[in-house]
């Protein structure tokens, strides 16, 4: 994507956090957006604040039929779909032994099953066009298993794997698949963390990093670089070294 001006972009998870900041960033750059989250009133307010020119498409990612309905509406409303970005996410920091089944299901439904269903419907649209982009927002939490990070870390690791599979299977050069792996970003989700978050950035800075990354050929968009490269080092350490480090946390 050489320019956002006039580009048709679907942001799922546009009502708060990084998704909202990204909607503002891309709207300011001239993109035509489809704004999705569960609550229409919030989306209407956001659309009005952005000038009222965007498409409001309420959608509950935990309900496959809702995702299908949303993708059908976007396919009918937009002459083309240049990019579809999955920013929906759910996080509730929990010790493994304290995980409740309902919380587990909710996390998997939103972070993983929703991403699968979203990708399935978007890919069908892009294949008809023979062009377009899918970007899935995972997390550096998916690089390795973290203490008190489940089931969130497991779903984010699976999202990274999903994006890799989509990229590996894709045979159409003009279809671009990307994964987004943010570090700590100040949002209502990270406000739940009881610990000091190193190198935390604001949603607006995250949105700018994503916007830049969407226009490159790189598969992975990750930020802030000093933090993410450190975590990438942890990712390649032998397991026995990694677990020794984690014991000290």
């Amino acid at each position: 994507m050489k320019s956002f001006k006039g580009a048709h972009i679907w942001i799922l998870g546009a009502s708060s956090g990084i998704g909202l900041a990204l909607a503002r960033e891309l709207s300011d750059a001239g993109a035509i957006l489809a704004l999705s989250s569960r609550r229409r009133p919030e989306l209407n307010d956001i659309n009005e604040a952005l000038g009222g020119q965007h498409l409001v498409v309420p959608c509950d990612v935990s309900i496959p039929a809702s995702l299908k309905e949303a993708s059908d509406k976007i396919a009918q409303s937009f002459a083309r779909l240049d990019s579809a970005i999955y920013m929906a996410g759910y996080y509730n920091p929990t010790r493994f032994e304290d995980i409740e089944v309902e919380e587990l299901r909710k996390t998997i439904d939103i972070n993983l099953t929703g991403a699968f269903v979203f990708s399935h419907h978007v890919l069908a649209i892009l294949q008809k066009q023979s062009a377009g982009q899918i970007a899935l927002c995972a997390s550096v939490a998916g690089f390795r298993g973290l203490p008190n990070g489940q089931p969130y870390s497991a779903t984010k690791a699976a999202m990274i794997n999903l994006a890799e599979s989509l990229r590996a299977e894709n045979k159409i050069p003009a279809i671009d698949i990307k994964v987004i792996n943010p570090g700590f970003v100040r949002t209502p989700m990270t406000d739940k963390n009881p610990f000091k978050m190193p190198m935390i950035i604001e949603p607006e800075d995250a949105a700018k990093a994503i916007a830049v990354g969407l226009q490159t050929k790189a598969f992975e968009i990750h930020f802030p670089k000093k933090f993410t490269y450190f975590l990438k080092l942890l990712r390649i350490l032998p397991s026995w070294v990694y677990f020794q480090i984690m014991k000290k946390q």
Side-chain angles (χ1 to χ4, degrees):
M1 196 186 320
K2 294 182 179 180
S3 172
F4 292 122
K5 188 172 180 60
H8 293 72
I9 301 174
W10 182 14
I11 302 177
L12 203 164
S15 62
S16 66
I18 305 174
L20 174 56
L22 184 60
R24 290 170 176 156
E25 179 75 17
L26 298 182
S27 179
D28 288 347
I32 301 165
L33 306 177
L35 303 168
S36 290
S37 70
R38 285 182 300 163
R39 291 175 286 274
R40 179 182 288 276
E42 290 182 5
L43 294 175
N44 286 338
D45 290 344
I46 293 165
N47 185 33
E48 184 177 349
L50 295 178
Q53 73 269 33
H54 303 298
L55 180 66
V56 169
V57 188
C59 176
D60 187 337
V61 301
S62 66
I63 303 174
S66 179
L67 271 167
K68 176 66 165 61
E69 183 178 347
S71 65
D72 286 347
K73 180 174 181 179
I74 290 165
Q76 293 164 6
S77 302
F78 285 172
R80 67 185 186 280
L81 180 61
D82 296 296
S83 181
I85 309 168
Y86 191 89
M87 299 299 302
Y90 180 74
Y91 171 61
N92 186 26
T94 315
R95 287 175 55 84
F96 190 86
E97 62 195 49
D98 297 328
I99 295 173
E100 297 179 358
V101 172
E102 287 307 311
E103 283 290 295
L104 172 64
R105 288 175 175 166
K106 184 174 182 178
T107 306
I108 293 174
D109 283 348
I110 294 173
N111 293 357
L112 185 55
T113 306
F116 265 95
V117 178
F118 171 85
S119 300
H120 174 77
H121 292 309
V122 170
L123 187 61
I125 296 171
L126 302 190
Q127 286 174 336
K128 288 181 180 178
Q129 302 175 168
S130 296
Q133 180 184 77
I134 299 174
L136 304 177
C137 189
S139 168
V140 296
F143 286 176
R144 296 203 76 154
L146 299 172
N148 306 318
Q150 297 302 340
Y152 180 81
S153 291
T155 58
K156 293 303 183 178
M159 284 186 73
I160 295 170
N161 189 283
L162 166 60
E164 289 171 343
S165 294
L166 284 170
R167 179 92 170 205
E169 288 183 15
N170 178 48
K171 304 299 182 186
I172 303 175
I175 292 181
D176 179 35
I177 310 295
K178 295 188 184 302
V179 67
I180 304 166
N181 288 323
F184 290 113
V185 180
R186 199 181 313 278
T187 68
M189 284 176 58
T190 56
D191 286 345
K192 299 177 183 178
N193 286 331
F195 55 86
K196 184 177 179 180
M197 292 168 277
M199 301 188 197
I200 189 169
I201 64 174
E202 299 301 320
E204 293 74 18
D205 296 319
K208 290 182 186 302
I210 294 171
V212 170
L214 292 173
Q215 293 182 294
T216 70
K217 294 182 179 180
F219 166 67
E220 183 186 18
I221 302 169
H222 62 98
F223 53 85
K225 292 292 197 297
K226 288 183 179 179
F227 183 58
T228 54
Y229 277 127
F230 170 71
L231 292 180
K232 284 177 179 291
L233 175 62
L234 291 181
R235 195 179 191 182
I236 63 175
L237 287 176
S239 293
W240 70 270
V241 176
Y242 175 71
F243 291 132
Q244 285 297 319
I245 294 172
M246 287 299 103
K247 283 180 181 179
K248 300 176 183 179
Q249 302 307 306

PDB file of all heavy atoms in Angstrom, residues 167-178:
ATOM      1  N   ARG A 167       0.740 -16.339   5.561  1.00  0.00           N
ATOM      2  CA  ARG A 167       1.789 -15.809   4.676  1.00  0.00           C
ATOM      3  C   ARG A 167       2.424 -16.930   3.843  1.00  0.00           C
ATOM      4  O   ARG A 167       2.670 -16.767   2.647  1.00  0.00           O
ATOM      5  CB  ARG A 167       2.852 -15.119   5.527  1.00  0.00           C
ATOM      6  CG  ARG A 167       4.024 -14.547   4.755  1.00  0.00           C
ATOM      7  CD  ARG A 167       3.805 -13.104   4.380  1.00  0.00           C
ATOM      8  NE  ARG A 167       5.015 -12.494   3.855  1.00  0.00           N
ATOM      9  CZ  ARG A 167       5.296 -11.211   3.879  1.00  0.00           C
ATOM     10  NH1 ARG A 167       4.447 -10.371   4.425  1.00  0.00           N
ATOM     11  NH2 ARG A 167       6.404 -10.729   3.363  1.00  0.00           N
ATOM     12  N   ALA A 168       2.689 -18.065   4.494  1.00  0.00           N
ATOM     13  CA  ALA A 168       3.346 -19.180   3.809  1.00  0.00           C
ATOM     14  C   ALA A 168       2.461 -19.800   2.733  1.00  0.00           C
ATOM     15  O   ALA A 168       2.948 -20.229   1.684  1.00  0.00           O
ATOM     16  CB  ALA A 168       3.759 -20.244   4.820  1.00  0.00           C
ATOM     17  N   GLU A 169       1.149 -19.838   2.972  1.00  0.00           N
ATOM     18  CA  GLU A 169       0.220 -20.460   2.030  1.00  0.00           C
ATOM     19  C   GLU A 169      -0.158 -19.532   0.872  1.00  0.00           C
ATOM     20  O   GLU A 169      -0.583 -20.003  -0.183  1.00  0.00           O
ATOM     21  CB  GLU A 169      -1.059 -20.885   2.752  1.00  0.00           C
ATOM     22  CG  GLU A 169      -0.874 -22.082   3.661  1.00  0.00           C
ATOM     23  CD  GLU A 169      -2.192 -22.500   4.304  1.00  0.00           C
ATOM     24  OE1 GLU A 169      -3.266 -22.053   3.831  1.00  0.00           O
ATOM     25  OE2 GLU A 169      -2.149 -23.270   5.280  1.00  0.00           O
ATOM     26  N   ASN A 170      -0.016 -18.239   1.075  1.00  0.00           N
ATOM     27  CA  ASN A 170      -0.474 -17.285   0.072  1.00  0.00           C
ATOM     28  C   ASN A 170       0.313 -17.404  -1.232  1.00  0.00           C
ATOM     29  O   ASN A 170       1.538 -17.372  -1.246  1.00  0.00           O
ATOM     30  CB  ASN A 170      -0.357 -15.862   0.614  1.00  0.00           C
ATOM     31  CG  ASN A 170      -0.769 -14.820  -0.395  1.00  0.00           C
ATOM     32  OD1 ASN A 170      -1.822 -14.940  -1.021  1.00  0.00           O
ATOM     33  ND2 ASN A 170       0.056 -13.807  -0.566  1.00  0.00           N
ATOM     34  N   LYS A 171      -0.404 -17.533  -2.340  1.00  0.00           N
ATOM     35  CA  LYS A 171       0.217 -17.675  -3.665  1.00  0.00           C
ATOM     36  C   LYS A 171       0.012 -16.437  -4.545  1.00  0.00           C
ATOM     37  O   LYS A 171       0.467 -16.401  -5.674  1.00  0.00           O
ATOM     38  CB  LYS A 171      -0.364 -18.900  -4.384  1.00  0.00           C
ATOM     39  CG  LYS A 171      -0.235 -20.207  -3.622  1.00  0.00           C
ATOM     40  CD  LYS A 171       1.214 -20.578  -3.357  1.00  0.00           C
ATOM     41  CE  LYS A 171       1.296 -21.923  -2.634  1.00  0.00           C
ATOM     42  NZ  LYS A 171       2.692 -22.254  -2.241  1.00  0.00           N
ATOM     43  N   ILE A 172      -0.696 -15.429  -4.001  1.00  0.00           N
ATOM     44  CA  ILE A 172      -0.985 -14.228  -4.792  1.00  0.00           C
ATOM     45  C   ILE A 172      -0.061 -13.110  -4.329  1.00  0.00           C
ATOM     46  O   ILE A 172      -0.207 -12.606  -3.209  1.00  0.00           O
ATOM     47  CB  ILE A 172      -2.468 -13.811  -4.652  1.00  0.00           C
ATOM     48  CG1 ILE A 172      -3.381 -14.960  -5.071  1.00  0.00           C
ATOM     49  CG2 ILE A 172      -2.748 -12.553  -5.471  1.00  0.00           C
ATOM     50  CD1 ILE A 172      -4.855 -14.681  -4.849  1.00  0.00           C
ATOM     51  N   PRO A 173       0.901 -12.701  -5.139  1.00  0.00           N
ATOM     52  CA  PRO A 173       1.905 -11.720  -4.708  1.00  0.00           C
ATOM     53  C   PRO A 173       1.326 -10.409  -4.182  1.00  0.00           C
ATOM     54  O   PRO A 173       1.902  -9.785  -3.298  1.00  0.00           O
ATOM     55  CB  PRO A 173       2.728 -11.485  -5.985  1.00  0.00           C
ATOM     56  CG  PRO A 173       2.547 -12.729  -6.787  1.00  0.00           C
ATOM     57  CD  PRO A 173       1.149 -13.184  -6.511  1.00  0.00           C
ATOM     58  N   ALA A 174       0.184  -9.991  -4.717  1.00  0.00           N
ATOM     59  CA  ALA A 174      -0.386  -8.701  -4.323  1.00  0.00           C
ATOM     60  C   ALA A 174      -1.208  -8.772  -3.042  1.00  0.00           C
ATOM     61  O   ALA A 174      -1.755  -7.764  -2.603  1.00  0.00           O
ATOM     62  CB  ALA A 174      -1.241  -8.136  -5.455  1.00  0.00           C
ATOM     63  N   ILE A 175      -1.308  -9.968  -2.446  1.00  0.00           N
ATOM     64  CA  ILE A 175      -1.946 -10.096  -1.132  1.00  0.00           C
ATOM     65  C   ILE A 175      -0.848 -10.118  -0.077  1.00  0.00           C
ATOM     66  O   ILE A 175       0.051 -10.950  -0.114  1.00  0.00           O
ATOM     67  CB  ILE A 175      -2.823 -11.359  -1.039  1.00  0.00           C
ATOM     68  CG1 ILE A 175      -4.043 -11.221  -1.950  1.00  0.00           C
ATOM     69  CG2 ILE A 175      -3.281 -11.566   0.412  1.00  0.00           C
ATOM     70  CD1 ILE A 175      -4.979 -12.421  -1.911  1.00  0.00           C
ATOM     71  N   ASP A 176      -0.923  -9.179   0.845  1.00  0.00           N
ATOM     72  CA  ASP A 176       0.105  -8.987   1.867  1.00  0.00           C
ATOM     73  C   ASP A 176      -0.440  -9.433   3.226  1.00  0.00           C
ATOM     74  O   ASP A 176      -1.524  -9.013   3.628  1.00  0.00           O
ATOM     75  CB  ASP A 176       0.492  -7.503   1.907  1.00  0.00           C
ATOM     76  CG  ASP A 176       1.542  -7.202   2.955  1.00  0.00           C
ATOM     77  OD1 ASP A 176       2.417  -8.050   3.181  1.00  0.00           O
ATOM     78  OD2 ASP A 176       1.487  -6.096   3.538  1.00  0.00           O
ATOM     79  N   ILE A 177       0.320 -10.266   3.921  1.00  0.00           N
ATOM     80  CA  ILE A 177      -0.057 -10.725   5.255  1.00  0.00           C
ATOM     81  C   ILE A 177       0.958 -10.192   6.252  1.00  0.00           C
ATOM     82  O   ILE A 177       2.170 -10.329   6.056  1.00  0.00           O
ATOM     83  CB  ILE A 177      -0.089 -12.269   5.343  1.00  0.00           C
ATOM     84  CG1 ILE A 177      -0.905 -12.878   4.200  1.00  0.00           C
ATOM     85  CG2 ILE A 177      -0.631 -12.706   6.713  1.00  0.00           C
ATOM     86  CD1 ILE A 177      -2.364 -12.552   4.204  1.00  0.00           C
ATOM     87  N   LYS A 178       0.480  -9.605   7.350  1.00  0.00           N
ATOM     88  CA  LYS A 178       1.381  -9.066   8.363  1.00  0.00           C
ATOM     89  C   LYS A 178       0.922  -9.452   9.770  1.00  0.00           C
ATOM     90  O   LYS A 178      -0.266  -9.710  10.004  1.00  0.00           O
ATOM     91  CB  LYS A 178       1.437  -7.537   8.289  1.00  0.00           C
ATOM     92  CG  LYS A 178       2.032  -7.000   6.990  1.00  0.00           C
ATOM     93  CD  LYS A 178       2.241  -5.501   7.075  1.00  0.00           C
ATOM     94  CE  LYS A 178       2.750  -4.927   5.770  1.00  0.00           C
ATOM     95  NZ  LYS A 178       4.021  -5.513   5.316  1.00  0.00           N
TER      96      LYS A 178
END
